[in-house]
Amino acid sequence: HDGDTMEYWNNMYTSLPRSKEEYWVNFYQAHTQKIREFAMKHLSMTYVEVELENEKLGEILERYTSVSASCVMDCHPGPKWVKENNATSRCHAVGENPANKNAKPDIEEEEESGDNGDDDNT
């Protein structure tokens, strides 16, 4: 069935993509569909599909694969990100983004909390 596979990829576009982004979106969608079709033909296999942005990604993978949710890491590309965010690694536990920790709090947030450093108990 290799001919079918090549035909599938060759017919992925009815017209040329307008941009590189459109090309990769189309490729991703076609590839994802091909994997889904493969899974449907091999029902003895466990197929789990979860969006990377899903906050419960680790929990879902742990439920279906028995791999600890703590093994799921959020990683960023290259040393530039590490340097810009004063991080020690480009990977960190989900929800523990060093970029968020290093961000300076807004002055408005401090004022809204009512704690401006004045001691009114005198």
Side-chain angles (χ1 to χ4, degrees), residues 28 49-58 60-61 72-75 94-95:
Y28 172 80
E49 183 175 329
V50 186
E51 290 183 356
L52 290 175
E53 293 83 13
N54 187 323
E55 292 179 5
K56 297 187 182 259
L57 171 69
I60 293 168
L61 290 177
V72 176
M73 303 293 280
D74 191 357
C75 297
V94 174

Side-chain angles (χ1 to χ4, degrees), residues 61-104:
L61 290 177
E62 183 173 4
R63 184 179 326 130
Y64 289 100
T65 66
S66 299
V67 174
S68 174
S70 64
C71 292
V72 176
M73 303 293 280
D74 191 357
C75 297
H76 303 272
K80 181 180 179 185
W81 184 91
V82 171
K83 184 176 179 182
E84 287 175 352
N85 291 282
N86 194 27
T88 56
S89 173
R90 64 184 198 90
C91 295
H92 51 83
V94 174
E96 296 181 14
N97 187 341
N100 295 340
K101 290 180 182 178
N102 294 333
K104 296 189 186 322

Side-chain angles (χ1 to χ4, degrees), residues 31-41 47 49:
H31 184 66
T32 300
Q33 184 59 34
K34 196 67 175 170
I35 292 169
R36 290 174 181 152
E37 291 169 10
F38 178 85
M40 290 301 293
K41 290 178 183 175
Y47 172 73
E49 183 175 329

